């Protein structure tokens, strides 16, 4: 039973990591992203350890959990570029209120300045979004309602406008 649970955890978390990386699925919470990455890595190590016949004592399991967590934290710290934060909600879909067109910014960790983007965001679950690029010049006004809601998730002191 334990083997089956570890395999299921590995398959689900690895699929989420791959979908986040190679499709428009976006995990918008860095803590949730780290937990999924950690669960995927740890379950892979447990699968390999079971295959080789290692990880039999509680001490070896504890050190494995700690070491994999430390490696995942170092990897996340060195490769994480920052979360995209919504500054303005520009449009909201009239028929589906979970769909919005947003101006988002991201402050990069090891460089100066911010990256900017305008995206079509569909909220799937509390930490998961479906993000696609959109051209705001070609918006159908019958489908989208202009909002211009200033959200300021970056917590700037002054109100910024979209370029």
């Amino acid at each position: 039973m334990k083997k089956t649970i570890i395999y299921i955890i590995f398959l689900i978390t690895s699929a989420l990591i791959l979908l986040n990386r190679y499709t428009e699925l976006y995990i918008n919470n860095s803590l949730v992203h780290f937990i999924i990455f950690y669960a995927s890595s740890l379950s892979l190590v447990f699968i390999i350890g079971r295959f080789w016949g290692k990880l039999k004592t509680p001490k070896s399991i504890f050190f494995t959990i700690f070491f994999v967590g430390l490696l995942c934290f170092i990897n996340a710290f060195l490769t994480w570029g920052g979360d995209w934060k919504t500054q303005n909600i520009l449009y909201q879909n009239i028929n589906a209120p979970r769909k919005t067109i947003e101006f988002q910014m991201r402050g990069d960790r090891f460089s100066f300045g911010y990256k900017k983007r305008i995206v079509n965001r569909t909220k799937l679950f509390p930490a998961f979004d479906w993000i696609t690029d959109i051209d705001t010049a070609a918006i159908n006004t019958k489908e989208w309602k202009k909002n211009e809601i200033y959200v300021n998730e970056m917590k700037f002191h002054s109100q910024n406008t979209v370029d």
Side-chain angles (χ1 to χ4, degrees):
M1 184 66 180
K2 280 199 266 184
K3 282 199 296 189
T4 307
I5 292 173
I6 290 175
Y7 289 133
I8 290 172
I9 289 172
F10 175 71
L11 288 174
I12 291 172
T13 55
S14 297
L16 285 173
I17 293 290
L18 291 172
L19 287 171
N20 183 58
R21 175 78 174 128
Y22 295 110
T23 68
E24 283 82 15
L25 180 75
Y26 176 64
I27 302 172
N28 62 21
N29 186 325
S30 57
L31 181 62
V32 171
H33 190 275
F34 178 78
I35 289 170
I36 292 170
F37 177 61
Y38 177 64
S40 177
S41 302
L42 188 62
S43 60
L44 177 63
V45 169
F46 280 161
I47 290 169
I48 292 171
R50 183 174 297 276
F51 180 72
W52 282 344
K54 305 292 183 186
L55 300 175
K56 293 186 178 185
T57 65
K59 188 176 180 180
S60 65
I61 292 172
F62 173 76
F63 282 120
T64 301
I65 291 171
F66 177 75
F67 188 67
V68 169
L70 183 66
L71 288 177
C72 287
F73 178 77
I74 291 170
N75 182 25
F77 179 77
L78 293 177
T79 60
W80 178 68
D83 288 334
W84 288 100
K85 301 288 185 182
T86 300
Q87 288 305 103
N88 292 9
I89 298 175
L90 304 174
Y91 295 92
Q92 187 166 13
N93 193 298
I94 295 171
N95 299 324
R98 297 169 61 105
K99 290 184 178 184
T100 55
I101 296 176
E102 300 178 355
F103 170 68
Q104 295 181 338
M105 295 177 71
R106 178 177 81 182
D108 285 334
R109 178 183 304 241
F110 298 115
S111 66
F112 299 105
Y114 298 96
K115 291 187 177 182
K116 302 172 184 178
R117 70 180 185 177
I118 295 177
V119 293
N120 183 353
R121 176 182 179 191
T122 304
K123 298 174 186 173
L124 302 174
F125 300 108
F128 298 92
D129 296 330
W130 194 262
I131 301 288
T132 54
D133 291 328
I134 191 164
D135 180 18
T136 55
I139 289 180
N140 183 359
T141 56
K142 295 177 184 175
E143 186 178 343
W144 296 94
K145 181 179 94 172
K146 189 170 181 113
N147 276 344
E148 289 291 336
I149 299 171
Y150 185 64
V151 179
N152 193 20
E153 286 183 350
M154 296 287 283
K155 298 191 179 16
F156 291 133
H157 293 290
S158 63
Q159 187 174 15
N160 293 336
T161 58
V162 179
D163 291 338

